[in-house]
Amino acid sequence: MDPDAVAKAFVEHYYSTFDANRAGLANLYQEGSMLTFEGQKIQGSQNIVAKLTSLPFQQCKHNITTVDCQHSGSGGMLVFVSGNLQLAGEQHALKFSQMFHLMPTPQGSFYVLNDIFRLNYA
Amino acid sequence: MDPDAVAKAFVDHYYSTFDANRAGLGNLYQEGSMLTFEGQKIQGSQSIVAKLTSLPFQQCKHNITTVDCQPSGAGGVLVFVSGTLQLSGEQHALKFSQMFHLMPTPQGSFYVLNDIFRLNYA
């Protein structure tokens, strides 16, 4: 497993799904998954998707600037992303950083065990 | 183990050591530790400390804005930090984000298995 290839594929899939249909992110999380979104802690796929689909904007577009990844031990992978987030109707894009800890599934795919998102204010 | 307490203690120790004497970071890393510094991949405590002590500034001061943490599974703690970095002699502070994956040591402490650092450009 080439971590860079896994990270690249995951990042493309995650953000294109987020931008097209946030509800579609559900199968990337499991019951033990954790999201910390701007300091708010949420656990479990249902609650995480409820949080993401309730964010106060209709449309958004993530533009990814950097992707770094490393093996986390025990088969997992850490992915560290920075970029900007354009909300429909807003003049200026927001900057963000996000980290994911991906764990392998028995089917040979990955799910998100840990997810931490922060906006980077000017 | 309370991840928030571990994260807070680690962040305080890491950045105060970095700002006072970067060579002192050596015992926070082990042979299998990985650092990705602005996209450059480095492995092992010796190589990591060599990189950090060779950064082109004498003095610096990290000011931490946010610290988020989650248990990573298998006893580890993920720590996600954002803040600013003031280099002596420079007029404007740099913004940065950094993530650490801390693993427990047999002595009841933690070491850094994974470390990813990125500047956040305006």
Side-chain angles (χ1 to χ4, degrees):
Chain A
M1 178 197 67
D2 169 17
D4 290 299
V6 172
K8 186 176 187 303
F10 169 79
V11 165
E12 284 171 3
H13 177 67
Y14 183 88
Y15 292 109
S16 61
T17 304
F18 193 112
D19 295 345
N21 175 24
R22 280 170 263 162
L25 294 170
N27 60 12
L28 292 178
Y29 298 93
Q30 293 188 5
E31 203 178 305
S33 298
M34 291 164 274
L35 165 65
T36 305
F37 190 92
E38 280 287 283
Q40 182 188 353
K41 301 185 188 189
I42 300 139
Q43 180 151 351
S45 178
Q46 270 195 310
N47 294 325
I48 289 171
V49 174
K51 170 65 184 179
L52 296 177
T53 52
S54 70
L55 291 172
F57 51 82
Q58 298 280 28
Q59 274 187 308
C60 68
K61 177 84 174 71
H62 290 81
N63 294 298
I64 303 311
T65 311
T66 66
V67 180
D68 294 304
C69 65
Q70 294 176 0
H71 288 294
S72 72
S74 42
M77 209 152 55
L78 293 165
V79 183
F80 189 56
V81 181
S82 73
N84 60 65
L85 177 56
Q86 182 68 60
L87 302 184
E90 295 288 327
Q91 190 177 17
H92 299 288
L94 302 168
K95 293 189 185 41
F96 75 93
S97 295
Q98 187 160 14
M99 61 141 282
F100 301 97
H101 183 200
L102 307 182
M103 294 299 288
T105 66
Q107 297 79 20
S109 180
F110 285 85
Y111 77 96
V112 179
L113 174 61
N114 304 95
D115 180 347
I116 304 180
F117 174 90
R118 277 284 181 188
L119 293 171
N120 298 140
Y121 295 103
Chain B
M1 176 202 68
D2 169 16
D4 288 298
V6 170
K8 185 178 190 306
F10 170 78
V11 166
D12 286 344
H13 176 68
Y14 184 88
Y15 292 110
S16 59
T17 304
F18 193 113
D19 295 345
N21 175 25
R22 280 169 265 162
L25 295 169
N27 61 11
L28 292 177
Y29 298 94
Q30 294 187 4
E31 202 177 307
S33 297
M34 291 163 273
L35 164 64
T36 305
F37 190 91
E38 280 287 284
Q40 183 188 352
K41 300 183 188 189
I42 300 138
Q43 179 151 351
S45 178
Q46 268 194 311
S47 302
I48 289 171
V49 173
K51 170 65 182 179
L52 297 177
T53 51
S54 71
L55 290 172
F57 50 83
Q58 299 281 28
Q59 275 189 304
C60 68
K61 177 83 174 72
H62 291 81
N63 294 297
I64 303 311
T65 311
T66 66
V67 179
D68 294 305
C69 66
Q70 294 177 0
S72 73
V77 178
L78 291 166
V79 184
F80 189 56
V81 180
S82 73
T84 70
L85 176 56
Q86 181 69 58
L87 304 184
S88 59
E90 295 287 328
Q91 190 179 16
H92 299 287
L94 302 168
K95 294 190 186 33
F96 75 93
S97 296
Q98 187 160 15
M99 61 140 284
F100 301 96
H101 183 200
L102 308 180
M103 294 298 288
T105 67
Q107 298 79 20
S109 177
F110 285 84
Y111 78 96
V112 178
L113 174 61
N114 304 96
D115 180 348
I116 304 180
F117 175 90
R118 276 285 179 188
L119 293 171
N120 297 140
Y121 294 104

